[in-house]
Amino acid sequence: MKIICVGRNYSDHAKELNNPIPEQPVIFLKPKSALVKQGHPILYPEFTDDLQYECELVLKICKNGKDIPDRFAGQYYNEWTVGLDLTSRDLQQKLKQ
């Protein structure tokens, strides 16, 4: 399983974080350990004082494809839900520097 993320595709949020707005969205991966299983607690990490959240759209991709026309995109995912993305902004800012 891969967790593929799309970032900086919402210009107001990029501006809010003082990030440049790229011509194309940023694609990145998250480790499988980023998932919290249903019924398990979400722990507040001790290493951050600025944990922020975002609500995300999550799609489960069910088949491979490339250069898929918009009208066929719905054939390439079979489940969707909302996700809670937590980010340590103070650590993120430190790493950006």
Side-chain angles (χ1 to χ4, degrees), residues 26-89:
V26 176
I27 307 295
F28 60 98
L29 300 175
K30 287 196 176 194
K32 187 177 178 181
S33 62
L35 290 176
V36 176
K37 293 184 179 184
Q38 187 172 354
H40 288 75
I42 298 172
L43 303 175
Y44 195 109
E46 295 179 11
F47 58 80
T48 185
D49 293 318
D50 189 12
L51 189 65
Q52 296 184 11
Y53 67 91
E54 297 172 346
C55 182
E56 306 283 359
L57 174 63
V58 179
L59 300 175
K60 182 179 179 185
I61 298 172
C62 60
K63 64 181 178 178
N64 293 330
K66 183 177 179 181
D67 299 321
I68 303 161
D70 291 349
R71 68 181 183 272
F72 297 123
Q75 297 174 14
Y76 288 81
Y77 66 90
N78 60 0
E79 295 180 43
W80 67 273
T81 188
V82 294
L84 174 65
D85 182 18
L86 299 172
T87 302
S88 169
R89 293 284 181 223

